[in-house]
Amino acid sequence: MANRSSARDDMLRSAAHLFRRRGVEATSLADVIDHAGAPRGSIYHHFPGGKPQLVEEATRTAGAAMSAMISAGLASAGPSATARAILDGFRGELLATDFVAGCPVAPAALEGLHAPQAVAAAGESFSSWEDVIAASLWQRGLTRERSYSLATFAIAAIEGALIMAKAQRSTAALDRTEGELSALLEAVLEASAGR
């Protein structure tokens, strides 16, 4: 028998979903409760620290899920294909939501003035993604320094392209970033293998 998700998990998923679409400041606790179908008094039972705690934990949860997805993609398909898959996933979400949905941790990074722990959680998520990508590149023969440099560049390029795509209401930035990032990763790895 499958485990049913808890009300707490439902609220974390709902919060992450709403933050990606509306932003942190525009999402109320009542919005999260309604979206999760949770009882009214349950939010403070599960998140006694209120909205700052909810934002932090939803960001950590979303960041960990993304890290696991990146790790699985790198293990099965490699860096270039994983970058393409991430960008393709964001492209699909943007088109499906009329350019509303964004990165699962960026809202906390951009709007976390009232929740410094959430900003820290976003930073830790980005660092985790860099670590996973850098480890994959290092295992493929790049130096540690070059691996981290490319990992940071990849995350920054994807995040920047996502913001541009939302603002421009066009996937052009994602499309161009996908082509350039994929070509760069393939060329660097090919040159490393040829040494």
Side-chain angles (χ1 to χ4, degrees):
M1 182 178 204
N3 287 340
R4 294 192 62 197
S5 67
S6 71
R8 187 178 202 287
D9 292 339
D10 291 344
M11 284 187 275
L12 286 171
R13 278 191 294 276
S14 289
H17 173 87
L18 294 170
F19 296 156
R20 290 181 73 191
R21 284 157 180 77
R22 298 180 184 174
V24 171
E25 296 300 323
T27 301
S28 69
L29 294 178
D31 294 332
V32 174
I33 291 167
D34 289 344
H35 189 271
R40 290 272 172 218
S42 64
I43 196 113
Y44 286 105
H45 170 73
H46 293 293
F47 303 99
K51 189 171 180 181
Q53 181 184 359
L54 178 65
V55 176
E56 175 189 359
E57 290 192 34
T59 301
R60 286 190 193 287
T61 300
M66 186 77 174
S67 187
M69 185 201 71
I70 293 168
S71 184
L74 291 167
S76 65
S80 181
T82 299
R84 285 193 305 271
I86 291 167
L87 285 156
D88 191 51
F90 281 136
R91 182 185 301 107
E93 289 178 18
L94 284 172
L95 292 171
T97 63
D98 195 29
F99 293 90
V100 173
C103 170
V105 303
L110 298 173
E111 299 179 62
L113 295 175
H114 304 294
Q117 300 88 346
V119 175
E124 290 163 14
S125 293
F126 288 131
S127 294
S128 172
W129 303 348
E130 287 175 298
D131 291 344
V132 169
I133 294 168
S136 176
L137 294 169
W138 178 77
Q139 290 168 352
R140 286 169 170 80
L142 299 183
T143 66
R144 185 179 192 285
E145 182 178 328
R146 181 72 168 141
S147 296
Y148 269 97
S149 181
L150 280 170
T152 301
F153 177 77
I155 297 299
I158 291 168
E159 291 293 325
L162 185 55
I163 291 169
M164 289 176 66
K166 287 180 70 168
Q168 296 170 341
R169 298 187 54 75
S170 166
T171 63
L174 292 172
D175 301 338
R176 292 178 188 133
T177 299
E178 181 180 338
E180 291 297 326
L181 185 55
S182 179
L184 173 64
L185 290 169
E186 287 173 8
V188 167
L189 291 171
E190 185 177 309
S192 177
R195 283 190 228 169

